[in-house]
Amino acid sequence: MEKLKHSFCKLVVDYYSIVVGRPVVREGGRAVIAVDPENLCIPDILEINVDYPPETFFETRPSDVEGRPDVVFFNTRKFYQVSGVEKFPKASYLRENSVVVVRIIRFKDSPFVAFTFCLPHAIFDGIGAMQLINHWAEYTRNIADVDAGNYRLADPPLMDRQVMEDSMRDVEMLEVPFIEYLRKNLPPTSMELPENPAAALMKTPEIPVIEEQHMIHFSSKTLNRMRDEIDPSHTTNTILAAFISKNMLLANTDVFGTAPLMSFIVMAYDSRLRSDIPKQYTGNASCVAIAPIPSQKIIGGTYQDLANSFKEHGSKNESGHTKTILDVLENDTKLLLQTSVFLSNTPMTSFVGMTNVRYMPFYTIDFGYGKPCILGFDYFMREGMARVLPNCQDGGVDVVLNYRDEFFQKLCELDDMKKYADIIY
């Protein structure tokens, strides 16, 4: 444990000083993360001992790959219900020890160790966060050379936000349809909303996490079959998003007794791949595409129709579109917060937010004790959000979904869910 803490401190000093900074507002209203030695945001890294073997929290399913052992999943809900461990804190600038939250979990009579971490989305997107964790693991494996001053990262992080701005300086902003839709259609609010993101970060209280979390597994064979049967011209990710979105809308309609007027499907993407932002940039370069679609159009259409709509809405991802979206993310806090409040599952709106992290380097993490064998998600915020994780055991994916239990029960009863999905918890 001390080795982990020591290597992290060395990494922060050498490459990641930003993680001990705090948001401030510079002249001209510019929000930045500043490192003040008198007001550091110290990482919170603790070890926890659980008086149960890890198998207590496992779920297993037979593999559909011949000769492979059962596929094992970690049940986060069962962990908190049985272990007696309090929910882990989330990244926040309101506490002294806040922005990097790490827990090392040891289990009774077992060499199995769980590692959970939480980083601020204001600084990192998923790609940047995974790069930091991999760099930490690399430093830990080579800590003797690090201490001797003989080790440098072969692929160091690029954290300066100015690099990102410089790469977009000569790009002309293009109209993004979903932003114009939100500006015209969001209902007015009486909430007092901050205009500056730094002020929002410093004042926003910790939002309670969603405990009604669920996991749905799709094996590699099932994903391929689903794509072949729906439309092989689309990517597996698009087909999966269409499948989840339509079935959640059907479940919402069943619970509410009527179809919501509009459905909003939010899909995150890496703007590095759709602009001149350097690929090695480690900060938050994630963007979103939002598809506002009349619910009756989804209900009356096919998965293929919905996938085509996603492709149309997601096609607005040239550098000019990316610059417009990033401008809103950085400078229009009011619109962001209004949108966050509006997008939810209600009798008027259906909402799913899909974040696909299946291609991120989870399985390269190695602190010198072996690589991960099971992935899961701690509780996270926002009902309707889904995280798509890779599963190396059978090459499939695990969809971790925040969805009210009453709605999820209706979701599980749908015929197509029974046909394609394996409900884990």
Side-chain angles (χ1 to χ4, degrees):
M1 188 65 191
E2 293 307 313
K3 182 179 179 181
L4 289 175
K5 291 182 178 180
H6 175 64
S7 61
F8 188 81
C9 290
K10 296 289 287 188
L11 182 69
V12 169
V13 170
D14 290 347
Y15 294 103
Y16 285 96
S17 60
I18 192 171
V19 302
V20 294
R22 294 185 186 275
V24 299
V25 181
R26 298 294 197 202
E27 291 183 7
R30 180 179 174 82
V32 300
I33 303 296
V35 180
D36 179 359
E38 302 298 322
N39 188 27
L40 295 178
C41 207
I42 306 300
D44 179 6
I45 306 175
L46 294 177
E47 184 177 67
I48 292 176
N49 292 296
V50 175
D51 196 28
Y52 293 88
E55 292 78 12
T56 306
F57 314 108
F58 288 169
E59 307 288 345
T60 60
R61 297 291 187 275
S63 175
D64 62 4
V65 180
E66 186 175 353
R68 289 278 188 93
D70 289 349
V71 183
V72 182
F73 308 88
F74 189 84
N75 188 326
T76 301
R77 292 184 73 164
K78 186 183 293 185
F79 172 75
Y80 282 118
Q81 290 166 359
V82 175
S83 69
V85 174
E86 295 184 3
K87 293 188 291 292
F88 302 138
K90 300 302 177 187
S92 167
Y93 285 101
L94 297 182
R95 297 189 311 275
E96 179 182 354
N97 303 329
S98 52
V99 174
V100 177
V101 180
V102 176
R103 294 294 181 266
I104 308 299
I105 307 169
R106 298 189 182 276
F107 298 91
K108 182 179 181 180
D109 301 328
S110 175
F112 186 92
V113 176
F115 174 90
T116 179
F117 63 92
C118 184
L119 300 171
H121 209 338
I123 301 178
F124 298 101
D125 56 17
I127 292 172
M130 291 310 304
Q131 186 174 14
L132 184 151
I133 300 301
N134 275 279
H135 282 159
W136 182 12
E138 182 180 340
Y139 248 45
T140 304
R141 295 194 309 270
N142 297 280
I143 192 60
D145 288 336
V146 171
D147 285 340
N150 299 325
Y151 193 84
R152 304 294 292 176
L153 294 174
D155 185 22
L158 181 59
M159 294 296 302
D160 188 353
R161 191 84 176 170
Q162 189 62 47
V163 173
M164 183 173 170
E165 294 182 9
D166 290 345
S167 69
M168 305 287 280
R169 189 180 307 280
D170 297 328
V171 174
E172 182 179 351
M173 288 196 286
L174 298 175
E175 181 178 299
V176 178
F178 77 80
I179 291 179
E180 298 309 311
Y181 176 92
L182 292 172
R183 292 193 193 281
K184 293 177 181 177
N185 292 280
L186 282 180
T189 178
S190 58
M191 296 172 58
E192 184 178 345
L193 302 174
E195 296 290 344
N196 191 287
L201 288 171
M202 289 187 288
K203 294 180 181 179
T204 303
E206 291 189 53
I207 301 172
V209 294
I210 304 297
E211 297 183 32
E212 292 175 289
Q213 182 190 91
H214 305 276
M215 179 181 284
I216 307 168
H217 178 65
F218 298 86
S219 70
S220 179
K221 284 186 177 180
T222 299
L223 287 173
N224 290 333
R225 177 166 60 91
M226 184 163 61
R227 182 186 176 202
D228 288 342
E229 293 176 359
I230 294 174
D231 186 348
S233 70
H234 285 292
T235 66
T236 300
N237 296 334
T238 301
I239 294 298
L240 182 62
F243 179 84
I244 294 293
S245 301
K246 180 169 183 175
N247 282 285
M248 285 182 65
L249 170 60
L250 294 174
N252 291 348
T253 301
D254 195 352
V255 173
F256 292 128
T258 183
L261 182 63
M262 291 291 294
S263 290
F264 296 88
I265 298 92
V266 180
M267 296 161 288
Y269 68 88
D270 178 14
S271 64
R272 301 171 187 81
L273 303 178
R274 296 172 171 87
S275 70
D276 292 328
I277 298 172
K279 302 299 183 292
Q280 66 271 32
Y281 178 66
T282 312
N284 187 355
S286 63
C287 274
V288 296
I290 301 179
I293 305 173
S295 295
Q296 288 296 343
K297 182 178 179 180
I298 298 176
I299 293 173
T302 65
Y303 293 123
Q304 184 183 42
D305 295 333
L306 187 52
N308 289 336
S309 293
F310 288 170
K311 187 174 182 179
E312 178 184 352
H313 285 281
S315 66
K316 308 298 184 182
N317 54 24
E318 298 175 15
S319 291
H321 300 110
T322 297
K323 184 173 183 178
T324 300
I325 296 170
L326 291 174
D327 180 68
V328 171
L329 291 173
E330 294 195 350
N331 301 306
D332 199 339
T333 308
K334 184 175 181 179
L335 180 63
L336 288 178
L337 295 178
Q338 280 183 289
T339 303
S340 179
V341 172
F342 179 68
L343 297 184
S344 57
N345 287 303
T346 72
M348 292 299 295
T349 57
S350 184
F351 164 71
V352 58
M354 298 285 292
T355 301
N356 193 335
V357 297
R358 62 184 297 204
Y359 302 115
M360 293 185 186
F362 291 97
Y363 292 111
T364 61
I365 299 171
D366 186 356
F367 287 89
Y369 309 103
K371 298 178 181 179
C373 56
I374 303 172
L375 298 181
F377 256 102
D378 193 9
Y379 288 151
F380 51 92
M381 293 171 284
R382 284 197 64 79
E383 195 266 347
M385 292 298 294
R387 305 283 193 263
V388 183
L389 280 168
N391 191 312
C392 70
Q393 299 172 77
D394 67 356
V397 298
D398 302 328
V399 178
V400 182
L401 174 65
N402 280 351
Y403 201 35
R404 281 168 280 178
D405 290 347
E406 178 187 7
F407 292 67
F408 188 73
Q409 182 178 349
K410 295 295 184 182
L411 180 70
C412 296
E413 294 172 357
L414 296 172
D415 289 341
D416 281 355
M417 291 294 294
K418 295 176 181 178
K419 179 180 179 181
Y420 293 113
D422 191 353
I423 307 301
I424 306 303
Y425 66 85

